[in-house]
Amino acid sequence: MVRRPVAWIVAVVLFVEAFGIAAVQWFMGVVVDRQDMSLAGLDPDVMSVSTKVGGLVFGLYFALCGLVALLVALRDRPPAGLGRILLISVAVVHGLLGALAWGLLGRTEFLFMVVMLALIILLLMTYDRPQEPADAVPSDGPKDPESDGSPVTSPPAPTTL
């Protein structure tokens, strides 16, 4: 039973993004290599290799974040430690990429980045605290059957002597 599908969606989209980023950067590295042109005196081979390596590193980063989201979905528990830090960092990256997309690419890419940012934040907020079962007894002991359920009950009425 899938109770919270947002983790599955985030995981799938992050894996697709990882492949897309790596493929685009690899393609750009091949284009730079085939043009055999220098930019401000830089070696074309160094530019090509660094573009490919940067794309692979960025793709692996997105894949690792996708793996964290997939583990959250499989375990149905909130991310902890490094996993939580990775999801927060990928949310920040999507916010920055969204700002760049607005200025450089257009509205559609900006909208995609904002939707991804919202999904990652929703994933982090949905799995914020573990849910207690409805039949669980509170840790402070059994409830008084006469109380109305409020945390503070009024004192008993004064009696006259």
Side-chain angles (χ1 to χ4, degrees), residues 46-68:
V46 172
M47 289 188 331
S48 172
V49 170
S50 63
T51 301
K52 291 176 183 177
V53 169
L56 289 177
V57 167
F58 206 43
L60 287 174
Y61 167 70
F62 273 152
L64 184 61
C65 294
L67 180 66
V68 169

mmCIF file of all heavy atoms in Angstrom, residues 46-68:
data_model
loop_
_atom_site.group_PDB
_atom_site.id
_atom_site.type_symbol
_atom_site.label_atom_id
_atom_site.label_comp_id
_atom_site.label_asym_id
_atom_site.label_seq_id
_atom_site.Cartn_x
_atom_site.Cartn_y
_atom_site.Cartn_z
ATOM 1 N N VAL A 46 41.137 19.968 -22.014
ATOM 2 C CA VAL A 46 40.833 20.154 -20.591
ATOM 3 C C VAL A 46 39.375 20.591 -20.419
ATOM 4 O O VAL A 46 38.674 20.111 -19.514
ATOM 5 C CB VAL A 46 41.802 21.179 -19.960
ATOM 6 C CG1 VAL A 46 41.369 21.525 -18.546
ATOM 7 C CG2 VAL A 46 43.221 20.651 -19.975
ATOM 8 N N MET A 47 38.923 21.500 -21.282
ATOM 9 C CA MET A 47 37.523 21.947 -21.203
ATOM 10 C C MET A 47 36.568 20.779 -21.462
ATOM 11 O O MET A 47 35.553 20.627 -20.778
ATOM 12 C CB MET A 47 37.260 23.086 -22.193
ATOM 13 C CG MET A 47 37.921 24.375 -21.805
ATOM 14 S SD MET A 47 37.487 25.825 -22.775
ATOM 15 C CE MET A 47 37.071 25.256 -24.361
ATOM 16 N N SER A 48 36.880 19.948 -22.444
ATOM 17 C CA SER A 48 36.023 18.813 -22.772
ATOM 18 C C SER A 48 35.964 17.815 -21.626
ATOM 19 O O SER A 48 34.878 17.387 -21.208
ATOM 20 C CB SER A 48 36.545 18.137 -24.037
ATOM 21 O OG SER A 48 35.861 16.940 -24.285
ATOM 22 N N VAL A 49 37.117 17.450 -21.091
ATOM 23 C CA VAL A 49 37.167 16.462 -20.010
ATOM 24 C C VAL A 49 36.502 17.020 -18.748
ATOM 25 O O VAL A 49 35.747 16.310 -18.070
ATOM 26 C CB VAL A 49 38.624 16.031 -19.735
ATOM 27 C CG1 VAL A 49 38.719 15.212 -18.462
ATOM 28 C CG2 VAL A 49 39.179 15.261 -20.919
ATOM 29 N N SER A 50 36.750 18.285 -18.426
ATOM 30 C CA SER A 50 36.152 18.847 -17.212
ATOM 31 C C SER A 50 34.633 18.962 -17.339
ATOM 32 O O SER A 50 33.923 18.778 -16.350
ATOM 33 C CB SER A 50 36.773 20.202 -16.889
ATOM 34 O OG SER A 50 36.500 21.132 -17.914
ATOM 35 N N THR A 51 34.136 19.227 -18.536
ATOM 36 C CA THR A 51 32.684 19.270 -18.737
ATOM 37 C C THR A 51 32.070 17.887 -18.542
ATOM 38 O O THR A 51 31.033 17.744 -17.881
ATOM 39 C CB THR A 51 32.355 19.803 -20.144
ATOM 40 O OG1 THR A 51 32.902 21.101 -20.286
ATOM 41 C CG2 THR A 51 30.867 19.859 -20.374
ATOM 42 N N LYS A 52 32.728 16.877 -19.088
ATOM 43 C CA LYS A 52 32.217 15.509 -18.934
ATOM 44 C C LYS A 52 32.277 15.056 -17.483
ATOM 45 O O LYS A 52 31.313 14.476 -16.961
ATOM 46 C CB LYS A 52 33.017 14.556 -19.812
ATOM 47 C CG LYS A 52 32.787 14.758 -21.301
ATOM 48 C CD LYS A 52 33.690 13.855 -22.116
ATOM 49 C CE LYS A 52 33.515 14.093 -23.606
ATOM 50 N NZ LYS A 52 34.442 13.263 -24.391
ATOM 51 N N VAL A 53 33.386 15.321 -16.804
ATOM 52 C CA VAL A 53 33.528 14.920 -15.400
ATOM 53 C C VAL A 53 32.520 15.676 -14.531
ATOM 54 O O VAL A 53 31.883 15.091 -13.641
ATOM 55 C CB VAL A 53 34.974 15.141 -14.908
ATOM 56 C CG1 VAL A 53 35.071 14.995 -13.402
ATOM 57 C CG2 VAL A 53 35.915 14.178 -15.603
ATOM 58 N N GLY A 54 32.362 16.965 -14.784
ATOM 59 C CA GLY A 54 31.380 17.752 -14.025
ATOM 60 C C GLY A 54 29.967 17.226 -14.213
ATOM 61 O O GLY A 54 29.186 17.161 -13.262
ATOM 62 N N GLY A 55 29.628 16.840 -15.442
ATOM 63 C CA GLY A 55 28.307 16.264 -15.700
ATOM 64 C C GLY A 55 28.102 14.946 -14.987
ATOM 65 O O GLY A 55 27.023 14.683 -14.445
ATOM 66 N N LEU A 56 29.136 14.111 -14.974
ATOM 67 C CA LEU A 56 29.020 12.833 -14.279
ATOM 68 C C LEU A 56 28.892 13.024 -12.767
ATOM 69 O O LEU A 56 28.092 12.352 -12.116
ATOM 70 C CB LEU A 56 30.221 11.947 -14.609
ATOM 71 C CG LEU A 56 30.268 11.401 -16.029
ATOM 72 C CD1 LEU A 56 31.555 10.603 -16.251
ATOM 73 C CD2 LEU A 56 29.059 10.555 -16.326
ATOM 74 N N VAL A 57 29.665 13.963 -12.215
ATOM 75 C CA VAL A 57 29.592 14.217 -10.768
ATOM 76 C C VAL A 57 28.209 14.766 -10.396
ATOM 77 O O VAL A 57 27.591 14.325 -9.414
ATOM 78 C CB VAL A 57 30.714 15.180 -10.327
ATOM 79 C CG1 VAL A 57 30.483 15.695 -8.922
ATOM 80 C CG2 VAL A 57 32.063 14.500 -10.435
ATOM 81 N N PHE A 58 27.723 15.718 -11.191
ATOM 82 C CA PHE A 58 26.400 16.296 -10.915
ATOM 83 C C PHE A 58 25.306 15.245 -11.091
ATOM 84 O O PHE A 58 24.345 15.185 -10.314
ATOM 85 C CB PHE A 58 26.181 17.493 -11.829
ATOM 86 C CG PHE A 58 25.237 18.513 -11.302
ATOM 87 C CD1 PHE A 58 25.267 18.926 -9.989
ATOM 88 C CD2 PHE A 58 24.290 19.088 -12.139
ATOM 89 C CE1 PHE A 58 24.391 19.872 -9.503
ATOM 90 C CE2 PHE A 58 23.405 20.041 -11.667
ATOM 91 C CZ PHE A 58 23.452 20.432 -10.353
ATOM 92 N N GLY A 59 25.440 14.386 -12.100
ATOM 93 C CA GLY A 59 24.484 13.300 -12.307
ATOM 94 C C GLY A 59 24.499 12.306 -11.155
ATOM 95 O O GLY A 59 23.445 11.840 -10.711
ATOM 96 N N LEU A 60 25.698 11.971 -10.668
ATOM 97 C CA LEU A 60 25.793 11.068 -9.526
ATOM 98 C C LEU A 60 25.202 11.693 -8.266
ATOM 99 O O LEU A 60 24.592 10.995 -7.441
ATOM 100 C CB LEU A 60 27.247 10.668 -9.286
ATOM 101 C CG LEU A 60 27.842 9.691 -10.301
ATOM 102 C CD1 LEU A 60 29.323 9.490 -10.033
ATOM 103 C CD2 LEU A 60 27.098 8.364 -10.269
ATOM 104 N N TYR A 61 25.368 12.998 -8.109
ATOM 105 C CA TYR A 61 24.766 13.702 -6.964
ATOM 106 C C TYR A 61 23.246 13.590 -7.007
ATOM 107 O O TYR A 61 22.602 13.268 -6.010
ATOM 108 C CB TYR A 61 25.211 15.164 -6.979
ATOM 109 C CG TYR A 61 24.436 16.066 -6.063
ATOM 110 C CD1 TYR A 61 24.558 15.970 -4.677
ATOM 111 C CD2 TYR A 61 23.567 17.026 -6.572
ATOM 112 C CE1 TYR A 61 23.848 16.794 -3.838
ATOM 113 C CE2 TYR A 61 22.860 17.859 -5.746
ATOM 114 C CZ TYR A 61 22.993 17.744 -4.381
ATOM 115 O OH TYR A 61 22.280 18.576 -3.558
ATOM 116 N N PHE A 62 22.651 13.845 -8.178
ATOM 117 C CA PHE A 62 21.198 13.724 -8.313
ATOM 118 C C PHE A 62 20.758 12.271 -8.110
ATOM 119 O O PHE A 62 19.712 12.012 -7.515
ATOM 120 C CB PHE A 62 20.719 14.227 -9.669
ATOM 121 C CG PHE A 62 20.434 15.697 -9.717
ATOM 122 C CD1 PHE A 62 20.563 16.404 -10.901
ATOM 123 C CD2 PHE A 62 20.030 16.388 -8.598
ATOM 124 C CE1 PHE A 62 20.292 17.757 -10.953
ATOM 125 C CE2 PHE A 62 19.755 17.737 -8.633
ATOM 126 C CZ PHE A 62 19.889 18.423 -9.830
ATOM 127 N N ALA A 63 21.552 11.311 -8.607
ATOM 128 C CA ALA A 63 21.200 9.900 -8.428
ATOM 129 C C ALA A 63 21.260 9.513 -6.954
ATOM 130 O O ALA A 63 20.413 8.755 -6.470
ATOM 131 C CB ALA A 63 22.132 9.020 -9.259
ATOM 132 N N LEU A 64 22.249 10.024 -6.229
ATOM 133 C CA LEU A 64 22.339 9.743 -4.796
ATOM 134 C C LEU A 64 21.148 10.337 -4.048
ATOM 135 O O LEU A 64 20.570 9.683 -3.165
ATOM 136 C CB LEU A 64 23.649 10.295 -4.235
ATOM 137 C CG LEU A 64 23.941 10.007 -2.767
ATOM 138 C CD1 LEU A 64 24.026 8.506 -2.517
ATOM 139 C CD2 LEU A 64 25.231 10.689 -2.349
ATOM 140 N N CYS A 65 20.749 11.541 -4.414
ATOM 141 C CA CYS A 65 19.557 12.150 -3.799
ATOM 142 C C CYS A 65 18.305 11.356 -4.160
ATOM 143 O O CYS A 65 17.401 11.183 -3.333
ATOM 144 C CB CYS A 65 19.425 13.603 -4.243
ATOM 145 S SG CYS A 65 20.754 14.653 -3.631
ATOM 146 N N GLY A 66 18.239 10.851 -5.396
ATOM 147 C CA GLY A 66 17.127 9.989 -5.797
ATOM 148 C C GLY A 66 17.107 8.694 -5.013
ATOM 149 O O GLY A 66 16.038 8.187 -4.656
ATOM 150 N N LEU A 67 18.290 8.151 -4.717
ATOM 151 C CA LEU A 67 18.376 6.940 -3.911
ATOM 152 C C LEU A 67 17.868 7.192 -2.492
ATOM 153 O O LEU A 67 17.163 6.355 -1.924
ATOM 154 C CB LEU A 67 19.820 6.436 -3.879
ATOM 155 C CG LEU A 67 20.068 5.182 -3.067
ATOM 156 C CD1 LEU A 67 19.359 3.989 -3.683
ATOM 157 C CD2 LEU A 67 21.557 4.918 -2.950
ATOM 158 N N VAL A 68 18.195 8.350 -1.941
ATOM 159 C CA VAL A 68 17.693 8.698 -0.598
ATOM 160 C C VAL A 68 16.162 8.774 -0.621
ATOM 161 O O VAL A 68 15.486 8.241 0.259
ATOM 162 C CB VAL A 68 18.311 10.019 -0.099
ATOM 163 C CG1 VAL A 68 17.611 10.514 1.154
ATOM 164 C CG2 VAL A 68 19.799 9.858 0.147
#
